[in-house]
Amino acid sequence: MAKLAFGMNQSLDGYVDHLEMRPSPALFRHFIEQVRDLTGSVYGRRMYEVMRIWDEDLPEWGAEQRDFAAAWRRQPKWVVSRSLKSVGPNATLVEDDLEAVIRGLKAQFVGEIGVSGPDLAITVAFLI
């Protein structure tokens, strides 16, 4: 049975800005390994839209960014949204019955499934 895991990056004063965070090389390597180890990820709409950049190949990326993108693309993703009409490669749109989807993922998979997005994490916490 899979476990659900939620994590969020923030500064020591509680400030969160994923667009301004620039991890050190060691921290970025940690993120690459963390994503490689995940069985999959469940995303809220806003976080998924932020992370969609990893579906692209940008010419200015270095080896670490390409490694992260490859790991992110490999893993299955479930995107919880009532407003999106479609999602990218290796992603499934979840529009309703989130509880059944989460329980099904936990029963079907082994390992750790990431939960990404603070609003989604609160909702999922009350489901299970």
Side-chain angles (χ1 to χ4, degrees):
M1 175 176 274
K3 295 180 185 178
L4 300 176
F6 172 73
M8 184 168 66
N9 303 317
Q10 70 181 33
S11 64
L12 291 175
D13 64 359
Y15 184 71
V16 177
D17 188 345
H18 58 271
L19 297 175
E20 291 298 320
M21 181 189 166
R22 300 289 180 252
S24 68
L27 182 56
F28 199 71
R29 276 314 295 154
H30 165 77
F31 291 146
I32 294 168
E33 295 305 318
Q34 180 184 30
V35 169
R36 277 188 186 142
D37 291 343
L38 288 175
T39 298
S41 288
V42 181
Y43 284 94
R45 178 194 53 84
R46 288 185 306 250
M47 187 57 67
Y48 178 71
E49 288 177 333
V50 167
M51 296 299 289
R52 285 289 311 267
I53 191 163
W54 300 109
D55 277 335
E56 302 175 30
D57 280 317
L58 299 180
E60 65 268 18
W61 282 356
E64 289 83 15
Q65 286 92 354
R66 287 190 295 278
D67 285 349
F68 184 89
W72 191 80
R73 291 173 192 157
R74 175 200 56 81
Q75 73 173 221
K77 292 166 269 306
W78 297 271
V79 182
V80 179
S81 174
R82 291 188 184 108
S83 61
L84 290 176
K85 300 300 177 213
S86 65
V87 290
N90 209 13
T92 301
L93 184 60
V94 177
E95 297 177 277
D96 50 51
D97 206 358
L98 178 59
E99 182 175 0
V101 170
I102 295 296
R103 291 188 186 284
L105 293 174
K106 287 183 65 171
Q108 179 182 356
F109 292 96
V110 175
E112 191 171 278
I113 297 174
V115 176
S116 297
D119 292 337
L120 177 63
I122 291 168
T123 301
V124 169
F126 285 105
L127 293 177
I128 53 172

